[in-house]
Amino acid sequence: MKDDPKVFFKLYANCIPVKGAKRSVVCDLQLQKMFLIPNDLCEILNNQINKNVVSIKKKYNNKYNIIIDEYFEYLVSMKLGFFTQSPDLYPELSTKWHYPLKISNAIIDINLNKKNNLYKILLQLEDLNCKHLQIRFFSKININYIIEIMDFFKDNNSIIQDIHLVFEFSNIPMKTYERQIFKYPRLSSLSIFNSPSNKHIDVRHNLGYIIYTKQKIIDDKSCGIINQTNFIINIKNYTESLQFNSCLNRKISIDINGDIKNCPSMQQSFGNIKDTTLEEALSHEDFKKYWNITKDQIEVCKDCEFRYVCTDCRAYIENPKDKFSKPLKCGYSPYTNKWENWSTNPLKQKTIEYYNMQELVNNEDA
């Protein structure tokens, strides 16, 4: 059948090949998985679209017929593609991304010693039609305060669809979180840092989860670490990453001092919540300057096979004077396909000092 000139090979529409410097991946955006493939196969998939299998083999002078057959058989066995005589019946996935509202997500950092007017902020986020909210505490927190916050969303018709809380580990039993916190349907997840062990627990019939992490978080300088556990493999993230920044697009944040920023870790402030509304900050000419920076523009990242499923950080970059520089806290090289500890890389030490991250690095190494 494969040698029939009427037979074509097609990837399923949700399976997208992405080429890197040394190897490639196929992103299954439906099952949210990635499959490593050689660059040669990625070239075939990208450059021989709408050509039958016989024509593809002929393109390579029939020298690699066995290898090409093995490639296609692997893709079929992984349920990434199929043979067909009617390729026109299977259109490609649209990669258009559109979001009709001004802001899609927000981060609020809270210092219990100098609380900002949280409810004032929440009401302004409602006015901006923000749907996703992360609230972070950099110290131990009383569970009653969490309940007080969540009660704000209990009886109103909030536009905010899901809430992610981040706070330090305490001896509160997991069952208490499940019983008292996850009764709120808008709560999607808890991230509990400085924990004695790493654990991921599904709750509420997989509609929520608790992540316990041993990571030691001091303040917002702990943000921006790039690793595989943070990869997001789905249609929404993939299509957004093609056209916009995978971290900052349509994000607004308030740091512990009440300063309104793109991200709490970034230096530039667009006013303070005490005397500036979120709407006013959003209208500042520089507020959106990072939104359109994609991984295809960032040095090193543009050669990485993971670029469309990876997060990005513009707050901490290897060259602070170049907004297209690689994230400082990424230890992956697409040229060697190896992950290394970013904080011990001798080439990054001056930048670590520039951002005054020595204490953070020492805590990570401890």
Side-chain angles (χ1 to χ4, degrees):
M1 179 180 177
K2 288 174 288 187
D3 294 324
D4 184 335
K6 296 181 181 179
V7 172
F8 295 75
F9 179 82
K10 291 279 293 185
L11 286 173
Y12 290 109
N14 55 278
C15 298
I16 312 292
V18 181
K19 187 176 181 180
K22 300 285 285 185
R23 66 183 181 185
S24 303
V25 296
V26 175
C27 299
D28 186 331
L29 304 179
Q30 181 175 343
L31 297 182
Q32 302 184 21
K33 295 180 180 180
M34 277 191 304
F35 300 82
L36 294 170
I37 61 171
N39 277 354
D40 290 342
L41 174 52
C42 190
E43 179 184 336
I44 292 172
L45 296 173
N46 284 330
N47 299 336
Q48 309 301 324
I49 295 173
N50 298 326
K51 292 187 177 181
N52 60 50
V53 176
V54 171
S55 297
I56 292 173
K57 291 178 177 178
K58 188 175 180 180
K59 171 73 176 178
Y60 297 95
N61 300 316
N62 294 109
K63 290 175 61 177
Y64 305 106
N65 289 3
I66 294 176
I67 294 175
I68 291 172
D69 284 340
E70 289 176 349
Y71 281 162
F72 288 154
E73 287 167 4
Y74 167 76
L75 295 172
V76 171
S77 70
M78 294 291 104
K79 299 182 180 180
L80 301 173
F82 58 98
F83 293 103
T84 179
Q85 293 185 350
S86 306
D88 294 338
L89 295 178
Y90 306 96
E92 303 298 321
L93 179 74
S94 172
T95 56
K96 292 182 179 180
W97 189 90
H98 174 68
Y99 191 81
L101 305 175
K102 295 179 180 179
I103 289 294
S104 65
N105 65 107
I107 298 176
I108 303 174
D109 284 351
I110 295 180
N111 183 334
L112 297 181
N113 294 323
K114 46 180 177 179
K115 297 180 184 178
N116 296 311
N117 192 332
L118 176 61
Y119 302 108
K120 174 183 174 182
I121 297 171
L122 293 176
L123 290 172
Q124 291 186 38
L125 289 176
E126 295 281 352
D127 291 339
L128 291 174
N129 294 301
C130 176
K131 293 185 180 296
H132 310 284
L133 173 62
Q134 183 180 92
I135 303 177
R136 306 189 304 188
F137 306 86
F138 295 115
S139 59
K140 289 183 173 63
I141 184 170
N142 189 301
I143 193 170
N144 291 328
Y145 185 50
I146 298 177
I147 293 172
E148 180 184 330
I149 293 173
M150 295 307 301
D151 274 341
F152 175 84
F153 304 97
K154 184 177 180 180
D155 298 319
N156 67 5
N157 296 317
S158 174
I159 195 71
I160 295 174
Q161 293 180 344
D162 73 83
I163 301 165
H164 177 201
L165 301 179
V166 181
F167 51 88
E168 188 175 6
F169 176 83
S170 63
N171 290 322
I172 297 173
M174 181 191 65
K175 291 294 183 182
T176 301
Y177 292 132
E178 291 186 36
R179 185 172 60 253
Q180 296 190 32
I181 305 299
F182 278 95
K183 67 180 181 180
Y184 300 96
R186 284 189 176 87
L187 180 66
S188 62
S189 57
L190 303 179
S191 288
I192 304 174
F193 60 87
N194 214 3
S195 299
S197 61
N198 295 318
K199 287 190 293 186
H200 184 289
I201 301 163
D202 290 319
V203 296
R204 208 168 53 201
H205 305 292
N206 296 328
L207 293 176
Y209 58 89
I210 304 174
I211 297 175
Y212 289 92
T213 174
K214 295 170 68 174
Q215 182 183 358
K216 297 178 180 178
I217 295 179
I218 303 172
D219 52 27
D220 54 30
K221 286 190 176 69
S222 301
C223 190
I225 296 175
I226 310 297
N227 57 48
Q228 289 173 285
T229 59
N230 293 329
F231 287 171
I232 303 173
I233 310 168
N234 59 39
I235 292 174
K236 177 186 176 298
N237 186 72
Y238 177 87
T239 54
E240 184 177 12
S241 295
L242 290 176
Q243 303 164 65
F244 298 99
N245 185 270
S246 58
C247 181
L248 296 177
N249 182 41
R250 286 170 172 77
K251 175 184 263 107
I252 196 165
S253 303
I254 299 91
D255 72 7
I256 59 173
N257 298 312
D259 290 327
I260 305 168
K261 301 179 177 181
N262 294 120
C263 164
S265 303
M266 302 190 82
Q267 295 182 359
Q268 185 173 7
S269 169
F270 300 94
N272 191 282
I273 197 66
K274 293 177 182 178
D275 50 32
T276 305
T277 67
L278 299 184
E279 183 77 53
E280 289 170 341
L282 186 59
S283 65
H284 191 285
E285 61 180 358
D286 285 342
F287 193 87
K288 301 177 184 178
K289 67 181 179 181
Y290 295 103
W291 284 16
N292 296 318
I293 296 179
T294 70
K295 285 296 187 74
D296 288 323
Q297 298 171 290
I298 297 172
E299 291 301 317
V300 182
C301 296
K302 63 187 179 182
D303 297 323
C304 182
E305 64 271 28
F306 303 128
R307 61 189 177 275
Y308 301 132
V309 299
C310 186
T311 52
D312 182 49
C313 180
R314 297 296 87 202
Y316 306 118
I317 51 182
E318 289 188 344
N319 180 359
K321 297 181 180 180
D322 179 7
K323 67 178 182 179
F324 297 106
S325 181
K326 176 186 176 182
L328 174 65
K329 299 182 185 181
C330 178
Y332 181 71
S333 169
Y335 312 113
T336 63
N337 302 138
K338 292 182 179 179
W339 289 88
E340 297 178 349
N341 187 340
W342 68 271
S343 64
T344 57
N345 187 326
L347 299 178
K348 298 191 179 193
Q349 297 310 306
K350 286 186 178 180
T351 310
I352 289 172
E353 291 177 12
Y354 172 87
Y355 287 119
N356 195 24
M357 285 186 177
Q358 296 92 326
E359 182 181 358
L360 170 67
V361 170
N362 291 337
N363 271 280
E364 287 192 348
D365 293 339

